[in-house]
Amino acid sequence: MGELNLILLGPPGAGKGTQAQRLVDDFDLPYYATGDILREAVKNGSELGREAKSYMDQGDLVPDEVICGAIMERVDSPEAADGFLLDGFPRTIGQAETLEQALGRRGRRLSAALLIEAPDEDVVRRLSGRRICVANQHLYHVEFDPPKREGVCDDDGSELIQRDDDKPETVRKRLDVYRKQTEPLAEHYEELGLLRRFDGTRPPAEVHEHIRAAVKTLKLEDEL
Ligand code: AP5
């Protein structure tokens, strides 16, 4: 089987991270989420984190030159030689071109862009109730996907917290940024014949079934 080089697209709160946690187990792919990478960098106080923090706190995108190097380093690493799952990258046409050119130089190409769609009102409700665990960023929702014990991660027992950028005013800004800067990528990947759309308003298990079936079909087509 060839490489499975996948990207997840969708507005904040569409369920990209939720689905990624499941797809990684299904297809045994290394997973790179730019949001997680940046939040870790902020926590460690690294140069990347210092550059990114003020943009993230305001719900703006970090400049392309700050993020592209960090992600391409991972895509080029030996563990990603047979495929990868990217979440949160690319987010601008510039980032998409950087990724395509870098893959092309190495004789590689994207397998698909998986777009999870959800309307603004769902997204705002989801993000205001989202909780993440401090140890490994496992995801929960106080109403839709609660942990067994309130405030404690089922998987690793660490504390569940709310992300700084999940405050209502920052969420609205992130949505606005998504519609202006990232949504045009759907058309870009549609033109390349790579786009697959999924209804993110369905329950997480159902969304997962749909994406898993689509990726399995891609693998089968590749093997023919
Ligand atoms: P990032 O961390 O990537 O945030 P995002 O794209 O805004 O996405 P989210 O993590 O908020 O949402 P998600 O779709 O993963 O939803 P989730 O699965 O958690 O980026 C943060 C910031 O970093 C950006 O604002 C930017 O500043 C910077 N950045 C990152 N990448 C960058 C880049 N490439 N360039 C420049 N800057 C960059 O689900 C949300 C909630 O809903 C959860 O509580 C979950 O339990 C629940 N839920 C999920 N699915 C369902 C469902 N089907 N039904 C009901 N509830 C559900």
Side-chain angles (χ1 to χ4, degrees), residues 10-19 31 33-36 38-39 52 55-57 59-64 67 87-92 95 126-127 129-132 139-142 144-145 163 165-166 174 199-205 207:
K16 302 180 297 295
T18 301
Q19 296 305 323
Y31 166 55
T34 39
D36 291 347
L38 290 169
R39 280 184 290 280
Y55 296 100
M56 296 174 77
D57 285 349
D60 276 320
L61 293 185
V62 170
D64 286 359
I67 189 71
D87 168 3
F89 188 96
R91 247 178 163 99
T92 62
Q95 292 180 13
R126 284 183 191 180
L127 295 185
R130 170 165 62 187
R131 298 294 180 269
I132 55 168
L139 289 164
Y140 298 88
H141 191 281
V142 289
F144 308 131
D145 187 15
R163 261 169 54 173
D165 60 351
D166 279 348
R174 284 163 58 202
D199 179 359
T201 65
R202 311 302 304 165
V207 181

Side-chain angles (χ1 to χ4, degrees), residues 102-160:
L103 289 175
R105 279 196 296 274
R106 291 158 185 84
R108 305 176 72 180
R109 62 180 179 83
L110 278 181
S111 311
L114 313 169
L115 171 63
I116 306 178
E117 297 176 294
D120 290 5
E121 57 274 20
D122 288 44
V123 157
V124 171
R125 209 161 143 219
R126 284 183 191 180
L127 295 185
S128 57
R130 170 165 62 187
R131 298 294 180 269
I132 55 168
C133 87
V134 287
N136 294 298
Q137 285 89 45
H138 291 127
L139 289 164
Y140 298 88
H141 191 281
V142 289
E143 193 184 339
F144 308 131
D145 187 15
K148 294 191 185 87
R149 254 182 72 206
E150 197 187 324
V152 181
C153 179
D154 294 346
D155 286 337
D156 56 37
S158 73
E159 185 196 358
L160 299 184

